[in-house]
Amino acid sequence: MQKKYSKNEILLKNKYYYNLKSINYSMKKFGILFLKIISVVLLLLLIVGLGGWTYFKSNLLNFEKDYDEKITFNTLVSNGESILDRNSNGRVDVYEDHRRSLDERVEDVFSQMSVEEKLHLLKGSGMSSAIGMNESGEGIAGAVGTIVPTPRLGLPTIYLSDGPAGLRIEPTREGDSLTYYCTAFPIASLLSSTWNTTLVERVGNAMGQEALEYGIDVILGPGANIMRHPFNGRNFEYFSEDPLLSGKMGAAMVKGIQSNGVGTSVKHFVANTQETNRNWNDARISERALREIYLKGFEIIVKDAAPWTLMSSYNRINGLHVAQDGRLLTDILRGEWGFEGLVMSDWFGGINPVDMVNAGNDLLEPGTNWQWKALREGYANGKLNKEAVDTSVKRILRLILGSKKMQSYEFSNQPDLEKHAQLTRQAATEGMVLLKNDDQTLPIKDDENLALLGVASYAFIAGGTGSGDVNEAYSISLEQGMEYANAEQNLQLEKGLGYPNIRQNIRAKELFDTHKIENSEAFIQPQGFEAMINPFNPPQRSYSTEELEEIAADASMAVITIGRNSGEGSDRVVKDDFELTAIERDLIEKATAAFHARNKKVVVVLNVGGVIETNSWKHLPDAILLAWQGGQEGGNSVVDLLLGKQTPSGRLPMTFPLDVAHHGSHKNFPIEGIEIDLSAMLLKTETPEEEYQSTIDFTNYDEGIFVGYRHFDNDKIEVSYPFGYGLSYTRFSYSEPDIRIENDTIKAIMDIKNIGEFTGKEVMQVYASKLNSIIDRAPQELVTFAKTKELAIGEQTSLSFAIPLSNLYYWDESKSDWNFEQGSYDLKFGSSSRDVKAIMRISLEPQTRP
Ligand code: BGC
């Protein structure tokens, strides 16, 4: 039955109904409005997004327009030689003719270029290939930069790619079943620890071969910055705290790479010693420190090895961005040192493209449309110096015409990766440094059941991150190295030869495996571009005393690996990085207690990219092997040393301090580990001077020339391991050096004999000390070094040394020139900077400089 309503009720109901209706209506209206707003916002976002993307794409990724590389040419014949008609004019031009000199060819092609083509050549083609965004079949995926082609004249694209530990390109390509892996060679700090320039040159040669066979024309490396402070996140890419060692190693690397007809870009010129605020940091350095420490290594490389290119650094020096500093890039580099190659910017480095080219920064990488526009405007309004443009263009043309691309070299995409794997293993073995070896714990003499502790034992770190990373096909851990050694061992034993058998302790392995399963995600090693920005850093496992007691009861020896990974983008920090983490310290303490209680030994392997704190725990284990980041064969190399297949002969290229604060640079180094601000690379805004913060906006290099051992020696500071230090399994005897001075060179010969029980190599370092110096000098400075060949037990060899007198010069600020102090010098022949085997006093008369 229907309810009857009174009038009032009806009114109320209607009101309610209308209210409801109106609420409903308002809600609907609101909903529609809301939807409209959302749609507009989405549309706006889409437009902004699309616009942004288009803007981004057309300015940073791909903006080359009509400059597609010309790839098909007619062939002309001249006196029986086939020559490509690059500009399709039907005759052989001088620049097309490989029989003409490079100078003639450069002048000829230059004379045929329009202004637009010249300006076009001064910047790269953008970022697309660097981030793997190549169109299928186009370019070389992962190549980080190019020198652009000039289609009208048939000039090819030149490909540039990282980096210091091997080539970095994308290992796989869409729709392509081939792979493009490269060899991960040891990091530069390990290579310099070999003190073996011949070996480093061979490594360079192999890197160059890979570049050549993958179609890359210039490798962006080696790095030659000085390790001013251990916390620079990129130290692993560099050779040393000493400019002579850095320069000699860099020169060897450049010679090796370039022997393939592939260029190098020695970086980062200059004083790029911190990552913190790297695009704006102003390195405030005295002229003397700049010349003697920071420029010196580059000077040696330029003079000894003539690199094709140098890369200017991001930072400023004394107020000016290096990429815009004509005094550094033109007066010193070209005027004083005679550098004939080109200078390219670091990626998006420099602020003002016009000022950069005017200063002698010939090539802007990776190139943006903004830069291109700015150059055209600068040319039109006269701010861009026409002579500078011509000079830079000719330098770039020289590189293009001298490249293998210009010879139409047909790269195979199949470098000999197997051969290079052998070489990287050998190089890594030679650069690992034995820091401690009590009671001849190493090499392992009897069959052992080894407990592998520390996650890095199972997941070795091959190299650092950022642009110094390499996309290798595999990386051998210590665990795998042991397995391979056992397989080899079984073969050897059949032949009646062999080394002890080392088996891995099952209990230690089980505990690790469970840990790995529990953290499976974190154990997936990032690949390709991701590996560059996301360091592989699986969590450590903490062990209880009982677990370690159980392992120690079962195993006969422990190997604990401590791993560290750093790279481009931030500097290192004290906590959990320079210092051991609480878990690592606890592990070393508990493991040594458990193993020593049973009269068993403990070895610590340091799988690190830079200096770490050692003083507080080094008394605990019996042996410490600094394995560095040894590239893709690192685990095999460590096992070669543990078993005594090779005798360690690495020596430290930097000091391991007792306390990082003891470094002369520590007061003026950013120790907070601030992450890099990537936007600063593109949005070039400067902090107002009144807001400057020390070590961020500027860094005072107050320590002057007293960097590394120069400082520790000068202030007589005890260190944990000195510069040049490293133990061997064998022992050597040394003759008194025979010294003579010939023209501008001090020559010395020293006999070295292997008087120990293992074959091995010795490194001899020569330091010079000026007696009664009237200037503020380091107590001693490395002036040369040499390494013996492998000496059999009882074998003797003589090492020859040549020290140009210029290696004794100092920068005289009063004269703004190099100067020489006459008088007596002690030449100290040492197997480290603090282990001198012979001192020879020489007296040097006033010299005219060569
Ligand atoms: C690095 C360079 C590198 C370049 C290209 C920059 O961020 O500083 O060392 O060569 O990127 O990857």
Side-chain angles (χ1 to χ4, degrees):
M1 206 171 74
Q2 235 187 343
K3 185 176 182 235
K4 290 237 176 204
Y5 293 100
S6 68
K7 203 176 164 197
N8 266 354
E9 275 179 323
I10 290 172
L11 274 176
L12 245 178
K13 193 171 173 250
N14 280 349
K15 196 174 165 203
Y16 177 68
Y17 172 76
Y18 282 114
N19 270 349
L20 257 187
K21 207 175 157 191
S22 95
I23 287 173
N24 217 347
Y25 177 73
S26 323
M27 268 184 68
K28 243 191 195 159
K29 226 170 118 187
F30 177 75
I32 290 167
L33 191 72
F34 180 74
L35 280 178
K36 273 189 186 160
I37 292 173
I38 287 289
S39 325
V40 171
V41 168
L42 282 177
L43 195 71
L44 276 177
L45 278 178
L46 196 72
I47 293 170
V48 171
L50 273 179
W53 171 243
T54 314
Y55 185 69
F56 180 71
K57 197 164 169 239
S58 60
N59 280 297
L60 293 167
L61 293 185
N62 225 332
F63 44 82
E64 281 298 292
K65 302 182 182 99
D66 305 327
Y67 281 93
D68 280 349
E69 182 170 359
K70 178 169 168 185
I71 40 178
T72 47
F73 304 99
N74 290 331
T75 304
L76 305 169
V77 179
S78 153
N79 293 337
E81 294 265 356
S82 299
I83 287 168
L84 297 183
D85 185 12
R86 293 187 171 270
N87 59 3
S88 309
N89 65 357
R91 58 183 163 76
V92 175
D93 289 80
V94 172
Y95 83 91
E96 293 166 345
D97 188 346
H98 55 267
R99 296 163 298 187
R100 306 297 286 262
S101 75
L102 202 51
D103 285 341
E104 287 174 301
R105 296 175 70 198
V106 168
E107 284 306 326
D108 181 51
V109 70
F110 177 79
S111 71
Q112 299 192 32
M113 290 180 87
S114 67
V115 169
E116 177 55 39
E117 281 167 340
K118 289 181 192 169
L119 295 174
H120 174 243
L121 206 54
L122 297 176
K123 82 307 146 269
S125 58
M127 264 306 264
S128 48
S129 103
I131 53 175
M133 286 193 54
N134 300 58
E135 298 292 322
S136 164
E138 186 193 85
I140 299 176
V144 285
T146 56
I147 294 178
V148 291
T150 306
R152 191 180 61 85
L153 299 170
L155 299 182
T157 309
I158 294 293
Y159 290 93
L160 323 171
S161 214
D162 290 306
L167 191 62
R168 186 169 66 83
I169 53 175
E170 288 293 310
T172 51
R173 296 176 191 170
E174 225 179 276
D176 183 346
S177 59
L178 285 183
T179 56
Y180 301 83
Y181 288 106
C182 297
T183 307
F185 289 97
I187 57 169
S189 312
L190 181 151
L191 291 177
S192 55
S193 304
T194 65
W195 295 67
N196 184 342
T197 48
T198 316
L199 182 59
V200 173
E201 193 170 331
R202 283 179 57 210
V203 170
N205 187 333
M207 282 184 194
Q209 273 174 33
E210 288 187 21
L212 181 65
E213 293 311 329
Y214 280 137
I216 298 291
D217 304 284
V218 178
I219 292 189
L220 304 176
N225 288 114
I226 291 296
M227 297 173 181
R228 172 175 176 256
H229 188 280
F231 286 5
N232 177 10
R234 298 189 80 170
N235 274 352
F236 76 96
E237 297 185 48
Y238 303 138
F239 293 114
S240 178
E241 67 187 21
D242 177 83
L244 181 98
L245 184 59
S246 183
K248 292 293 175 194
M249 288 297 156
M253 178 64 82
V254 168
K255 284 183 201 163
I257 294 174
Q258 294 193 168
S259 64
N260 294 282
V262 165
T264 52
S265 193
V266 183
K267 63 193 190 182
H268 309 88
F269 182 79
V270 57
N272 188 178
T273 60
Q274 65 180 63
E275 282 295 276
T276 306
N277 197 23
R278 68 181 186 183
N279 287 79
W280 281 101
N281 180 261
D282 183 20
R284 297 182 176 169
I285 315 177
S286 72
E287 185 64 11
R288 182 168 173 213
L290 190 60
R291 296 282 186 158
E292 290 185 27
I293 305 293
Y294 299 99
L295 285 169
K296 193 71 197 173
F298 287 97
E299 182 180 353
I300 294 172
I301 299 173
V302 165
K303 290 182 174 167
D304 284 8
W308 291 14
T309 88
L310 244 67
M311 189 188 291
S312 59
S313 57
Y314 287 123
N315 53 290
R316 297 186 282 184
I317 293 187
N318 299 327
L320 200 55
H321 274 93
V322 175
Q324 296 172 197
D325 190 336
R327 191 181 79 94
L328 288 169
L329 300 187
T330 298
D331 303 348
I332 296 180
L333 181 60
R334 272 87 184 215
E336 293 181 26
W337 303 351
F339 176 64
E340 289 187 345
L342 69 85
V343 173
M344 67 178 77
S345 67
D346 199 345
W347 266 231
F348 303 109
I351 306 301
N352 180 328
V354 168
D355 291 350
M356 287 166 79
V357 175
N358 283 343
N361 192 114
D362 311 291
L363 179 63
L364 313 180
E365 284 298 336
T368 66
N369 205 17
W370 303 311
Q371 290 174 328
W372 194 7
K373 274 191 210 144
L375 291 177
R376 282 187 297 218
E377 274 166 28
Y379 197 87
N381 66 24
K383 288 192 177 149
L384 180 59
N385 183 334
K386 297 193 165 73
E387 264 173 48
V389 170
D390 289 354
T391 311
S392 292
V393 167
K394 285 185 189 174
R395 288 180 185 138
I396 297 171
L397 289 172
R398 175 170 278 272
L399 189 151
I400 300 172
L401 294 178
S403 70
K404 289 273 184 181
K405 279 283 151 53
M406 229 8 225
Q407 297 163 23
S408 310
Y409 180 79
E410 290 198 10
F411 52 94
S412 64
N413 276 329
Q414 284 179 332
D416 193 342
L417 296 179
E418 253 174 59
K419 190 167 111 198
H420 298 168
Q422 306 248 322
L423 179 62
T424 185
R425 176 173 179 170
Q426 184 192 342
T429 311
E430 190 157 334
M432 293 181 178
V433 185
L434 185 62
L435 296 177
K436 176 177 181 180
N437 195 20
D438 281 1
D439 308 324
Q440 299 184 344
T441 300
L442 296 176
I444 291 171
K445 288 156 208 75
D446 303 311
D447 290 356
E448 303 279 2
N449 180 283
L450 291 187
L452 296 187
L453 301 169
V455 290
S457 289
Y458 301 89
F460 240 41
I461 299 159
T465 60
S467 56
D469 182 38
V470 178
N471 298 317
E472 67 274 18
Y474 64 87
S475 170
I476 307 282
S477 66
L478 180 51
E479 180 189 27
Q480 287 164 317
M482 278 172 55
E483 281 163 20
Y484 294 142
N486 281 339
E488 274 172 32
Q489 175 67 358
N490 293 337
L491 287 178
Q492 296 288 320
L493 285 175
E494 280 167 26
K495 294 184 204 152
L497 296 163
Y499 295 89
N501 215 310
I502 44 173
R503 298 246 164 246
Q504 92 162 280
N505 179 260
I506 301 295
R507 184 65 189 132
K509 166 82 173 146
E510 276 169 6
L511 291 178
F512 168 76
D513 283 347
T514 320
H515 173 69
K516 189 172 172 184
I517 292 165
E518 284 165 5
N519 298 278
S520 54
E521 289 268 296
F523 276 89
I524 300 169
Q525 192 141 4
Q527 294 296 325
F529 188 64
E530 212 207 324
M532 200 184 142
I533 47 173
N534 185 9
F536 179 54
N537 208 358
Q540 304 167 47
R541 181 187 194 282
S542 54
Y543 293 82
S544 67
T545 309
E546 295 67 42
E547 283 170 338
L548 287 167
E549 293 280 340
E550 193 192 337
I551 293 171
D554 193 32
S556 56
M557 193 185 237
V559 179
I560 305 173
T561 306
I562 303 294
R564 288 286 180 278
N565 208 351
S566 80
E568 196 174 345
S570 57
D571 292 312
R572 297 176 52 208
V573 292
V574 171
K575 193 168 172 335
D576 295 347
D577 184 355
F578 181 68
E579 289 179 350
L580 295 185
T581 64
I583 295 182
E584 289 165 343
R585 184 173 295 272
D586 186 62
L587 172 61
I588 294 181
E589 280 168 5
K590 284 182 186 155
T592 44
F595 277 77
H596 286 171
R598 292 165 177 81
N599 243 337
K600 296 174 181 176
K601 306 277 191 201
V602 175
V603 178
V604 169
V605 173
L606 299 178
N607 179 203
V608 298
V611 175
I612 67 164
E613 193 278 329
T614 47
N615 190 50
S616 67
W617 57 268
K618 67 181 181 186
H619 60 285
L620 293 169
D622 305 277
I624 305 174
L625 178 67
L626 172 59
W628 291 123
Q629 291 165 345
Q632 67 185 45
E633 290 278 331
N636 281 333
S637 304
V638 169
V639 174
D640 286 345
L641 292 171
L642 295 183
L643 286 175
K645 290 184 177 179
Q646 300 287 329
T647 295
S649 65
R651 302 286 184 269
L652 292 179
M654 79 295 278
T655 310
F656 272 52
L658 288 183
D659 180 336
V660 70
H662 290 174
H663 264 279
S665 54
H666 191 72
K667 286 190 290 300
N668 290 295
F669 192 87
I671 50 170
E672 305 297 330
I674 300 169
E675 287 287 326
I676 194 174
D677 173 8
L678 281 175
S679 65
M681 291 168 92
L682 295 174
L683 310 172
K684 320 251 178 193
T685 45
E686 191 184 358
T687 310
E689 217 168 315
E690 55 282 7
E691 289 170 27
Y692 272 14
Q693 291 178 57
S694 175
T695 77
I696 296 177
D697 300 292
F698 65 89
T699 299
N700 290 330
Y701 285 44
D702 283 349
E703 71 284 0
I705 59 160
F706 295 100
V707 175
Y709 68 88
R710 286 168 168 79
H711 163 72
F712 292 105
D713 291 345
N714 200 40
D715 285 16
K716 301 191 175 53
I717 298 172
E718 207 192 315
V719 298
S720 191
Y721 297 111
F723 178 81
Y725 172 86
L727 301 174
S728 172
Y729 295 154
T730 192
R731 288 167 295 118
F732 300 93
S733 69
Y734 312 86
S735 74
E736 177 162 290
D738 188 12
I739 298 213
R740 72 210 137 83
I741 302 171
E742 268 176 29
N743 303 323
D744 294 322
T745 307
I746 306 165
K747 296 202 166 159
I749 294 185
M750 183 187 222
D751 292 335
I752 296 187
K753 187 174 181 184
N754 182 353
I755 53 167
E757 279 86 52
F758 296 86
T759 57
K761 299 180 181 181
E762 170 65 316
V763 175
M764 194 39 57
Q765 306 153 33
V766 185
Y767 297 87
S769 300
K770 174 73 183 73
L771 278 79
N772 309 315
S773 174
I774 49 157
I775 55 159
D776 200 12
R777 285 184 97 134
Q780 56 175 358
E781 289 179 300
L782 184 73
V783 286
T784 193
F785 60 91
K787 188 167 194 174
T788 66
K789 60 179 180 163
E790 182 150 89
L791 296 177
I793 298 166
E795 191 181 352
Q796 176 170 317
T797 192
S798 27
L799 279 185
S800 304
F801 305 90
I803 309 161
L805 286 184
S806 55
N807 286 7
L808 305 176
Y809 293 169
Y810 69 95
W811 183 259
D812 187 339
E813 299 213 304
S814 68
K815 295 199 172 102
S816 284
D817 202 354
W818 293 101
N819 206 345
F820 174 73
E821 262 195 300
Q822 67 180 88
S824 299
Y825 287 79
D826 276 346
L827 292 182
K828 299 176 181 167
F829 293 74
S831 52
S832 93
S833 63
R834 294 195 175 178
D835 181 9
V836 174
K837 305 293 181 190
I839 302 184
M840 306 302 289
R841 183 155 300 177
I842 51 167
S843 178
L844 296 171
E845 301 313 318
Q847 300 287 327
T848 31
R849 294 203 288 114

